[in-house]
Amino acid sequence: MNLSTDHRSNFESSNINTHVSSAIIFYGFASEAHTEPTVESEIFKALERAKLLVGSRKEACYSRCGRTDKGVSATGQVISLFLRSNIKDAGLDVVDKESEIDYVKVLNRILPRDIRVIGWCPVAADFLARFSCLGREYKYLFWKGDLDILEMQKAASKFIGEHDYRNFCKMDAANVSNYRRQITDLNISAYDQRTNYDELWAITIKGSAFLWHQVRCMVAVLFLIGQGLESPCIVDSLLDITKTPRKPQYKMAPELPLILRSCLFDEVNFTCSSDAGQALIEHLKDEYHQYMLQAAIFRETFSCLSVPEPNSFEPRHKKRNHIPLMSRQTEPSYEERVAKVKTKSVLHNVLVIQHQGPIF
């Protein structure tokens, strides 16, 4: 294998983070101190083992399109970095993909079963997966139960457009000063899968970029509306930062049903060899069948119970003891958080100055 030439590659990958005991539980996508394994750390281990890396991670100009939390899955995550190549001095328009290293095949032989590379593409040297991305699509799956979908759809339409989402995220005042984001589409629709007593639905959200925990916060409020605990106009109130400068305290939607569905780029066409593609299909079929078997085991357990199955028309969400969002305790505002960060910074600088002299 000729590894003498480097070029910049763009990878599309899929990671399934699950709570099934036989699977690896990843601590999200991004590598952090003392939190392994992560999807990112496993990818770099595979790259090192396959001897595909060019220098250090910093020298490889690594960039990820997004970061997913622990328990969140991705079917269209994208990363970019410099990798070793069989192609010498070739432009993007003349790359012979048949002669190139079969990155998908090589890496999928090494990666854990819950992480798959599904395609690669040569890109320009200044391409960055994070900043070159034009849009991202998330999908959140949920069981309909007794949720009022029409009310949820009324509320969902209010998110369309550019708004300040500081009341729909985990605020990071130390690193983020602009909380305006644009939602281009938000659709709530049936997922074409059901059981004897419930139906699976999906919330699909598209936008240019998203804040930390933004999707899960938006979904949480939509669920409160679907349960009849809040009116759709609560979205207007939370998007109005003049009226609501501090975020009411509320619990985010669970992480497990959330999927980073896809990332949109201009003139980026992922490729996969026929051999690697067939192996990928077989792998996904096998994984799907294994999870279907586990689901069948749970269904078999239902048949062994003497208690009746739940009534699909019986409300499962209790409306008692609900405190309206606008009456709840609030988190610090952005301005209050920034002031706290500045205070810590000043205190740190004072301590550093005090320790600059000799110690006896």
Side-chain angles (χ1 to χ4, degrees):
M1 183 182 296
N2 182 359
L3 302 178
S4 60
T5 304
D6 308 334
H7 78 153
R8 190 159 180 76
S9 290
N10 189 33
F11 278 104
E12 185 173 24
S13 65
S14 169
N15 64 279
I16 309 298
N17 300 340
T18 123
H19 294 282
V20 179
S21 59
S22 61
I24 298 174
I25 298 180
F26 298 106
Y27 290 88
F29 185 88
S31 297
E32 303 289 351
H34 311 300
T35 54
E36 285 201 7
T38 64
V39 175
E40 197 169 73
S41 66
E42 293 299 319
I43 290 175
F44 272 91
K45 287 177 185 177
L47 289 169
E48 291 174 357
R49 184 175 170 186
K51 302 188 185 304
L52 291 175
L53 280 179
V54 179
S56 66
R57 173 169 166 173
K58 184 176 182 180
E59 293 170 326
C61 296
Y62 170 76
S63 175
R64 56 177 177 257
C65 189
R67 53 185 297 165
T68 49
D69 296 323
K70 179 181 177 181
V72 177
S73 296
T75 58
Q77 175 68 280
V78 175
I79 64 173
S80 60
L81 73 167
F82 285 106
L83 293 177
R84 298 205 179 275
S85 168
N86 280 339
I87 310 298
K88 295 184 178 181
D89 303 322
L92 296 179
D93 54 343
V94 293
V95 170
D96 182 4
K97 295 181 180 180
E98 295 296 327
S99 302
E100 184 55 283
I101 298 171
D102 194 338
Y103 297 110
V104 177
K105 184 177 181 180
V106 171
L107 290 171
N108 283 346
R109 285 177 173 176
I110 303 172
L111 287 165
R113 292 184 63 84
D114 288 348
I115 306 174
R116 294 290 96 176
V117 176
I118 60 178
W120 71 276
C121 176
V123 291
D126 60 352
F127 182 96
L128 292 172
R130 179 184 177 186
F131 297 107
S132 299
C133 182
L134 302 177
R136 297 161 175 85
E137 176 185 343
Y138 283 90
K139 183 165 286 189
Y140 194 97
L141 305 178
F142 66 96
W143 292 105
K144 179 178 179 295
D146 60 325
L147 292 172
D148 189 330
I149 299 297
L150 289 178
E151 287 294 284
M152 291 174 64
Q153 289 173 332
K154 288 180 185 177
S157 65
K158 298 177 181 293
F159 286 115
I160 305 297
E162 184 177 329
H163 304 283
D164 189 308
Y165 283 94
R166 66 183 64 189
N167 290 324
F168 291 92
C169 72
K170 183 174 182 178
M171 196 176 293
D172 181 12
N175 300 299
V176 180
S177 58
N178 180 15
Y179 290 86
R180 295 193 70 84
R181 296 294 185 272
Q182 184 174 29
I183 300 298
T184 56
D185 187 44
L186 203 164
N187 180 49
I188 304 176
S189 59
Y191 197 68
D192 195 28
Q193 185 173 336
R194 60 179 303 132
T195 65
N196 291 337
Y197 52 89
D198 212 339
E199 186 177 14
L200 197 64
W201 280 61
I203 301 173
T204 303
I205 305 176
K206 298 179 182 180
S208 54
F210 292 85
L211 296 162
W212 193 5
H213 291 165
Q214 180 182 340
V215 174
R216 290 171 62 190
C217 287
M218 292 169 63
V219 170
V221 173
L222 287 175
F223 282 165
L224 290 175
I225 294 167
Q227 295 169 44
L229 301 175
E230 296 285 348
S231 166
C233 66
I234 188 63
V235 175
D236 297 314
S237 298
L238 293 175
L239 289 176
D240 186 347
I241 61 170
T242 301
K243 178 181 179 180
T244 315
R246 296 179 180 86
K247 175 187 176 184
Q249 294 180 352
Y250 60 89
K251 189 175 180 180
M252 292 187 299
E255 68 278 3
L256 186 62
L258 180 59
I259 307 165
L260 174 56
R261 178 67 178 79
S262 64
C263 302
L264 177 64
F265 296 88
D266 187 27
E267 297 182 355
V268 171
N269 300 308
F270 293 99
T271 186
C272 178
S273 70
S274 57
D275 288 346
Q278 187 59 39
L280 180 61
I281 291 172
E282 292 301 321
H283 168 82
L284 294 176
K285 282 183 178 179
D286 182 58
E287 292 291 292
Y288 177 76
H289 288 156
Q290 290 297 322
Y291 282 99
M292 289 298 290
L293 281 174
Q294 292 187 37
I297 292 171
F298 282 103
R299 186 168 183 172
E300 188 67 22
T301 305
F302 274 124
S303 67
C304 297
L305 295 176
S306 57
V307 296
E309 289 189 357
N311 185 341
S312 59
F313 298 102
E314 183 180 344
R316 294 182 302 171
H317 302 292
K318 296 182 179 180
K319 297 185 180 182
R320 293 176 296 177
N321 302 324
H322 174 72
I323 302 175
L325 288 181
M326 300 305 290
S327 301
R328 297 187 185 188
Q329 291 186 339
T330 58
E331 299 179 1
S333 68
Y334 169 72
E335 291 74 17
E336 292 169 335
R337 292 176 188 268
V338 169
K340 187 175 182 179
V341 170
K342 289 181 178 179
T343 301
K344 287 184 177 180
S345 177
V346 170
L347 179 60
H348 172 75
N349 290 334
V350 170
L351 291 174
V352 169
I353 293 172
Q354 288 177 343
H355 285 83
Q356 281 182 345
I359 300 176
F360 299 97

